[in-house]
Amino acid sequence: MSYFTKLSSPPRVSPQPLSRVIKSDRTRAAILDSAFEFIWSHPFREMTVKSLMNQTGTGRSTFYRYFSDLHEVMEALLEMLQGEIFTAAQPWLTGVGDPVALMHETLDGLVRVCYQRGPFIRAMSDAATTDKRFEDAWKQFLEGFDDAGTARIESDQEQGLIPDFPARPVATSLNILDAYMLIEAFGQRPRKQQEPVRKALARIWVSTLYGSEWAEHKTSTLVRKS
Amino acid sequence: MSYFTKLSSPPRVSPQPLSRVIKSDRTRAAILDSAFEFIWSHPFREMTVKSLMNQTGTGRSTFYRYFSDLHEVMEALLEMLQGEIFTAAQPWLTGVGDPVALMHETLDGLVRVCYQRGPFIRAMSDAATTDKRFEDAWKQFLEGFDDAGTARIESDQEQGLIPDFPARPVATSLNILDAYMLIEAFGQRPRKQQEPVRKALARIWVSTLYGSEWAEHKTSTLVRKS
DNA sequence: TTATTATAACGACATTGTGTCATTAAGTCA
DNA sequence: TGACTTAATGACACAATGTCGTTATAATAA
């Protein structure tokens, strides 16, 4: 409803046209709001320009003044989501201390965010199959996690916390596991329960990286220096 | 080219209309061939009824005598794929003997089939996002593996080979891992190398189910009775 | 407040794809 | 070959996209 409308006029640092361009910002925000709302209760495949503009009061063709197509709207929404998810994943990706505990912290965060934004993330993943440009954007989003995960694994390998194996394919696999399991579980109402999902993911990540002896625990005696 | 044309006239056991319905079978097969070929070199999103019928010689509207829409074609193709993949997965799902060895056998088979059919499987997964009916068919296909995997895990748990945890969410997770990792790696040319993918998947499956101490080996001393 | 001007919104149009239907053509079998 | 069943066709209605020239409405300066 108001998610984007609230932020409709970003702080303008520019010199002259101080509040000259305000109306357009509000319309743009209205379109994003409309898409946000639409996605909450419909699959992405049912989204049309008409369906979005019906909710904004303005005519359909006005849409094209702000976005070149529906996927460009999704791209704008993805940017919003990106920060939220990446933040949730931080503990294990960059944190210091017991890596098993960090792992649980990260998965807790991811499950929480994805539960809350489920249908939204689902829509992103769906939209990625129908447009080359957005497919690339989505892929790049996922690759960000591959890079960060690979770095963390390699760093832990240097410290002897994780056995020596090629880090990237495992990091990629585990990220794909997260992404699509979370989309599957929370992407459509009724959403599944959080607890079994969290536990399954934790078991797989911990067993694979730190050893199955820690799979039942939320902490370990492994410690990360530096 | 000839994948379906060859099989165009299935052995008819029926009494009277022996070769009465032949022409229609050939056209249907031509459409399936056309779709099969199309998918090999184009993303699913570019497939149109026109693009398929151009390759068959017959006019566009004839398509609707055989299929109600593009997704129904995909459904027919999915059935073909289904057997191939399920067969490849059999060793671990139903086999007897060292489960780690069986696991490797199954993953080898899956990687081989998915490498060969990559763009094809990718198209299935893409098509599942754009049509409710086909989405259900695809989901049911995946659920088949969830059921079989869950059964195998529970059975191994009873024998003490796998620790006691809720089997289904882990089975689901690991299947999602396979499906989307294989699609990601082999779904578009140039396809990635098979070896790193195979190894990453094996590491994750084995560590999670049978313990990370077996992750480096192709066999174990665990044995399955019965 | 009003005039000026930038720009947002509109509606009609061309285009592409879908799915239907009455009609025509072709194939199958006696 | 002729009868007649069934496949193929092309025109049509519909839905959605994206463009463009025109109109209406903001914001600003007098």
Side-chain angles (χ1 to χ4, degrees), chain A residues 69-141:
Chain A
D69 57 33
L70 288 175
H71 292 91
E72 210 169 285
V73 177
M74 296 305 282
E75 222 167 312
L77 295 181
L78 174 58
E79 271 175 43
M80 182 206 97
L81 189 68
Q82 210 151 352
E84 231 173 339
I85 295 193
F86 218 86
T87 301
Q90 281 313 299
W92 179 72
L93 288 177
T94 60
V96 174
D98 173 14
V100 171
L102 292 169
M103 182 91 263
H104 280 282
E105 207 180 317
T106 280
L107 288 174
D108 286 0
L110 283 176
V111 167
R112 191 176 18 76
V113 172
C114 290
Y115 184 84
Q116 198 207 336
R117 301 273 184 235
F120 200 67
I121 302 173
R122 167 76 188 272
M124 299 287 151
S125 151
D126 286 356
T129 69
T130 47
D131 180 81
K132 181 75 180 101
R133 259 183 69 88
F134 187 70
E135 179 185 319
D136 291 342
W138 175 250
K139 196 171 290 183
Q140 202 175 320
F141 168 59

Side-chain angles (χ1 to χ4, degrees), chain B residues 98-111:
Chain B
D98 173 14
V100 170
L102 292 169
M103 181 91 264
H104 280 282
E105 207 181 319
T106 280
L107 288 173
D108 287 359
L110 283 177
V111 166

Side-chain angles (χ1 to χ4, degrees), chain B residues 198-215:
Chain B
R198 196 203 321 273
K199 283 184 175 159
L201 294 180
R203 171 169 298 274
I204 295 170
W205 277 81
V206 171
S207 297
T208 302
L209 298 182
Y210 300 108
S212 27
E213 61 272 29
W214 303 112

Side-chain angles (χ1 to χ4, degrees), chain A residues 36-205:
Chain A
F36 189 73
E37 242 185 288
F38 183 92
I39 274 171
W40 196 251
S41 42
H42 305 81
F44 173 74
R45 60 172 165 269
E46 285 170 15
M47 188 163 108
T48 64
V49 174
K50 193 175 161 193
S51 73
L52 291 192
M53 298 312 281
N54 279 348
Q55 298 302 313
T56 67
T58 56
R60 187 182 65 83
S61 63
T62 296
F63 173 87
Y64 296 97
R65 180 170 290 280
Y66 298 94
F67 302 95
S68 71
D69 57 33
L70 288 175
H71 292 91
E72 210 169 285
V73 177
M74 296 305 282
E75 222 167 312
L77 295 181
L78 174 58
E79 271 175 43
M80 182 206 97
L81 189 68
Q82 210 151 352
E84 231 173 339
I85 295 193
F86 218 86
T87 301
Q90 281 313 299
W92 179 72
L93 288 177
T94 60
V96 174
D98 173 14
V100 171
L102 292 169
M103 182 91 263
H104 280 282
E105 207 180 317
T106 280
L107 288 174
D108 286 0
L110 283 176
V111 167
R112 191 176 18 76
V113 172
C114 290
Y115 184 84
Q116 198 207 336
R117 301 273 184 235
F120 200 67
I121 302 173
R122 167 76 188 272
M124 299 287 151
S125 151
D126 286 356
T129 69
T130 47
D131 180 81
K132 181 75 180 101
R133 259 183 69 88
F134 187 70
E135 179 185 319
D136 291 342
W138 175 250
K139 196 171 290 183
Q140 202 175 320
F141 168 59
L142 294 180
E143 273 169 14
F145 288 95
D146 291 353
D147 293 342
T150 302
R152 170 76 203 214
I153 291 175
E154 286 174 345
S155 157
D156 280 0
Q157 285 176 324
E158 278 168 27
Q159 301 190 33
L161 300 177
I162 293 181
D164 255 316
F165 53 77
R168 179 163 288 271
V170 171
T172 302
S173 298
L174 291 172
N175 282 333
I176 283 176
L177 164 72
D178 280 6
Y180 293 100
M181 182 66 184
L182 291 168
I183 287 170
E184 168 73 21
F186 307 136
Q188 59 192 325
R189 266 81 53 75
R191 292 167 290 182
K192 296 208 178 125
Q193 284 193 303
Q194 294 184 49
E195 211 43 35
V197 173
R198 196 202 324 272
K199 282 185 174 158
L201 294 180
R203 170 169 299 274
I204 295 170
W205 277 82

Side-chain angles (χ1 to χ4, degrees), chain B residues 73-129:
Chain B
V73 176
M74 297 304 283
E75 221 168 313
L77 295 181
L78 174 58
E79 271 174 44
M80 183 206 94
L81 190 66
Q82 210 151 350
E84 234 174 336
I85 295 193
F86 219 86
T87 300
Q90 281 313 299
W92 179 73
L93 288 178
T94 61
V96 174
D98 173 14
V100 170
L102 292 169
M103 181 91 264
H104 280 282
E105 207 181 319
T106 280
L107 288 173
D108 287 359
L110 283 177
V111 166
R112 191 174 20 76
V113 173
C114 292
Y115 183 84
Q116 199 206 336
R117 300 272 184 235
F120 199 68
I121 303 172
R122 167 76 187 272
M124 299 288 150
S125 151
D126 287 356
T129 69

